[in-house]
Amino acid sequence: MRRFAMKALFSLLTLQRDDETQLRWDRIVLIGSTLVTLGLIALYAYGKAEGRW
């Protein structure tokens, strides 16, 4: 699953990228913050399910 997520992330970042254009940093930040938020939600749900928090 982790390998699929990384492939999806890199394909989103390079989907509309030409050789002359630069990276769209707003898209990179948006995807990164979304991944961090989803990771924190998953960690919180896991902690609640385990009963340790």
Side-chain angles (χ1 to χ4, degrees):
M1 186 70 174
R2 181 178 291 166
R3 187 174 294 165
F4 174 75
M6 292 301 291
K7 285 183 181 179
L9 174 65
F10 288 130
S11 67
L12 281 175
L13 292 176
T14 60
L15 184 61
Q16 297 177 350
R17 184 175 173 213
D18 295 329
D19 289 336
E20 299 88 27
T21 61
Q22 294 181 349
L23 289 175
R24 295 183 180 179
W25 289 106
D26 56 342
R27 181 178 288 179
I28 294 172
V29 170
L30 180 66
I31 292 172
S33 64
T34 302
L35 290 175
V36 168
T37 302
L38 291 175
L40 289 173
I41 291 171
L43 183 62
Y44 178 77
Y46 174 75
K48 284 290 189 181
E50 291 294 317
R52 295 182 182 155
W53 290 356

